[in-house]
Amino acid sequence: MRLARENPSWRYRRIHREPAILGVKIGASNMSEILKTEGIDPAPERATTTWATFLRSQADALPRNA
């Protein structure tokens, strides 16, 4: 769910591939059903992140100098 929420432009297939890279095996259709059940729509229907929101989130992730 976290991958889908943090990457709103990713489609179901891309979200499915990421756990597979780590060795987690799950069928693509199962992944799409899980996402649908959780209320996460396919990428075109999800709200896209604006450039300003993306930059803010990246800036928030940077370490702050004391």
Side-chain angles (χ1 to χ4, degrees):
M1 299 319 110
R2 182 176 171 190
L3 285 173
R5 288 188 188 101
E6 291 179 359
N7 302 285
S9 65
W10 286 11
R11 299 180 186 277
Y12 284 172
R13 292 283 181 181
R14 172 73 188 270
I15 295 167
H16 169 254
R17 283 194 310 259
E18 292 300 312
I21 292 169
L22 300 173
V24 177
K25 295 182 181 186
I26 184 169
S29 60
N30 288 340
M31 178 64 76
S32 65
E33 286 302 316
I34 291 168
L35 293 171
K36 286 178 192 174
T37 300
E38 291 294 318
I40 298 173
D41 295 325
E45 285 78 26
R46 280 188 265 153
T48 58
T49 302
T50 64
W51 187 245
T53 303
F54 170 77
L55 291 177
R56 261 187 245 106
S57 69
Q58 295 301 309
D60 290 343
L62 293 173
R64 304 274 185 215
N65 290 337

